[in-house]
């Protein structure tokens, strides 16, 4: 089974955990690390020859077009992560449509390739956004990976299907939720900070579990997660700081081991292979 490897490209100050203490108006005055960190991810992938999907903010693409070109030139898929990490459930359909358009045009202008995949910031497509998939379909996206089918204090849609599904009866758009582990009927997250903070055995168990069900695993992380030298946000809530900064130094090694243990590919290829069996 080929699984999907994905990276949510955003800088250390753009994460949801700090959105209440770092104003977007101040972003350009902060020390950027997204280019160096994403280049480090590209080098890590190059070591093993894997290809992945980079869900990238339009804000990043506008400032680092050469980075966007390097992602594509190295054989990875470029996809959209929206413009500036605004959660979808904070928008209405018109604002979401505008956000999608602005980000996509910037990404495509930088890379010279079509963008057909989307991931909502903080997996913020859920029961509060019944219009979101229709807007994505109208915009011509082939797939979305914007749902976390679990309960979380910042996001989650626990009633959503665990595996890829068609959210609209009149569209070929596919929604591909991120992989969760099912333990005694409880869904547990396995990517990003959960992979960094918890034993790797949990993610490996989840991958084996979904593969056993004939499904590909969908794994994600962020470039800032392999950067232990990033600045510290001291006025953020304690829980946010613990989640964000813990075990940053261990992440690259854990990723290398995970990549070796499983078969990985781009989201677009994994979705295309799975599409015939998606209800």
């Amino acid at each position: 089974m080929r699984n999907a490897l994905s990276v949510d490209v955003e800088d250390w100050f753009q994460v949801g955990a700090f959105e209440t203490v770092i104003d977007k108006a101040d972003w350009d005055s902060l020390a950027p690390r997204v280019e160096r960190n994403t280049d480090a991810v590209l080098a890590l992938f190059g070591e093993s020859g894997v290809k992945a999907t980079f869900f990238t903010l339009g804000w990043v693409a506008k400032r680092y077009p050469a980075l966007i070109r390097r992602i594509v030139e190295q054989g990875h898929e470029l996809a959209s992560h929206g413009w500036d990490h605004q959660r979808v459930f904070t928008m209405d359909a018109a604002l979401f449509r505008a956000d999608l358009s602005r980000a996509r045009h910037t990404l495509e202008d930088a890379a010279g390739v079509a963008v057909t995949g989307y991931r909502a910031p903080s997996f913020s497509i859920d029961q509060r956004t019944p219009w979101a998939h229709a807007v994505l379909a109208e915009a011509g996206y082939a797939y979305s990976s914007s749902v976390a089918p679990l309960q979380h204090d910042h996001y989650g849609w626990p009633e959503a299907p665990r595996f890829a599904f068609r959210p609209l009866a009149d569209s070929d758009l596919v929604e591909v939720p991120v992989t969760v582990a099912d333990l005694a009927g409880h869904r547990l997250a396995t990517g990003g900070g959960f992979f960094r903070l918890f034993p790797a055995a949990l993610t490996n168990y989840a991958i084996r579990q979904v593969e056993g069900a004939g499904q590909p695993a969908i794994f994600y992380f962020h470039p800032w997660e392999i950067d232990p030298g990033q600045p510290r946000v001291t006025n953020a809530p304690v829980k946010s700081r613990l989640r964000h900064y813990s075990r940053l130094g261990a992440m690259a090694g854990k990723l290398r081991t995970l990549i070796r243990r499983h078969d990985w590919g781009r989201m677009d290829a994994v979705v295309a292979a799975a599409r015939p069996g998606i209800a």
Side-chain angles (χ1 to χ4, degrees), residues 16 58 60 93 111 116 127 142 158 164 172:
V60 171
T116 61
Q127 66 272 23
D172 288 334

Side-chain angles (χ1 to χ4, degrees), residues 42-128:
L42 287 170
L44 190 153
F45 289 168
E47 293 172 6
S48 53
V50 297
K51 303 304 178 187
T53 294
F54 287 71
F55 291 99
T56 306
L57 293 179
W59 189 97
V60 171
K62 179 181 178 181
R63 288 158 177 79
Y64 306 100
L67 171 65
I68 305 307
R69 290 191 291 273
R70 288 196 294 277
I71 290 170
V72 172
E73 288 165 358
Q74 293 182 34
H76 303 288
E77 180 192 11
L78 179 68
S80 175
H81 199 34
W83 178 255
D84 62 355
H85 215 262
Q86 183 172 354
R87 300 183 195 222
V88 178
F89 55 65
T90 69
M91 299 186 251
D92 59 19
L95 285 174
F96 183 46
R97 189 175 292 110
D99 184 90
L100 285 174
S101 177
R102 186 182 185 190
R104 188 186 217 170
H105 287 152
T106 303
L107 290 164
E108 292 183 342
D109 285 350
V113 298
V115 169
T116 61
Y118 172 77
R119 174 170 288 156
S122 300
F123 303 105
S124 52
I125 288 181
D126 59 25
Q127 66 272 23
R128 291 169 288 185

Side-chain angles (χ1 to χ4, degrees), residues 10-31:
E10 58 204 48
D11 219 327
W12 61 271
F13 49 79
Q14 297 173 316
V15 302
F18 298 152
E19 63 189 3
T20 62
V21 294
I22 298 179
D23 194 301
K24 289 181 180 180
D26 296 329
W27 282 2
D28 277 317
S29 68
L30 300 173

Side-chain angles (χ1 to χ4, degrees), residues 246-261:
S246 294
R247 295 185 56 75
L248 294 174
M251 186 64 165
K254 293 184 75 172
L255 284 169
R256 288 187 176 93
T257 301
L258 184 78
I259 289 170
R260 287 196 301 268
R261 292 192 67 167

Side-chain angles (χ1 to χ4, degrees), residues 79 108 180 211:
E108 292 183 342
V180 296
E211 288 179 339

